[in-house]
Each structure stands twice: as structure tokens, then as C-alpha cells.
Amino acid sequence: MAVQGPTGITALDRLRDRLTETESRCPECGSDAAEWRCETDGGRVRYQRTCQSCNAVASRTLRLRE
């Protein structure tokens, strides 16, 4: 299930916004032409972005506690 919505509405949105603010540049080429996307399966939350300039992929995965 993909989760996307207006900026800052849910905790997932706020964390995505934080990643965008703190990790805005691609570590491979320095471009800032990428957006973090969020997916969750209920037990984990995965944020991923693909650089539009060099196609490098960055991801962050969080496990949710029960």
C-alpha cells in the first residue's frame, strides 16, 4: 500500500518531509531532483527515492512495534 498525501498530514508524511529536508541531494551525483516515496505493509515503513539524474536509489526502512 503506497501512502502519499498533502504535506504533513500524517506521521508518514512528516517523516517523508524530514527526509526531503535533511537528505535532499543524491550522494552519487549531487542532484536534488528526486522525491521520497513511502510504502508500508503494516509492519515496516519503507522510504525510497530514485535520482532522476543518475538513477541511484536510496532507501530507509523502519520497523513498527506492535
Side-chain angles (χ1 to χ4, degrees), residues 18-52:
R18 177 76 173 150
L19 285 170
T20 299
E21 290 172 11
T22 60
E23 298 184 34
S24 62
R25 298 217 176 262
C26 173
E28 299 295 321
C29 72
S31 172
D32 63 356
E35 290 185 23
W36 288 94
R37 294 180 42 150
C38 177
E39 294 180 350
T40 183
D41 63 8
R44 293 175 191 244
V45 179
R46 182 173 188 207
Y47 291 89
Q48 182 175 351
R49 72 173 182 186
T50 302
C51 178
Q52 295 174 7

Side-chain angles (χ1 to χ4, degrees), residues 3-14 16-17:
V3 179
Q4 290 188 323
T7 301
I9 297 298
T10 68
L12 297 176
D13 292 330
R14 289 189 298 272
R16 182 192 64 219
D17 293 345

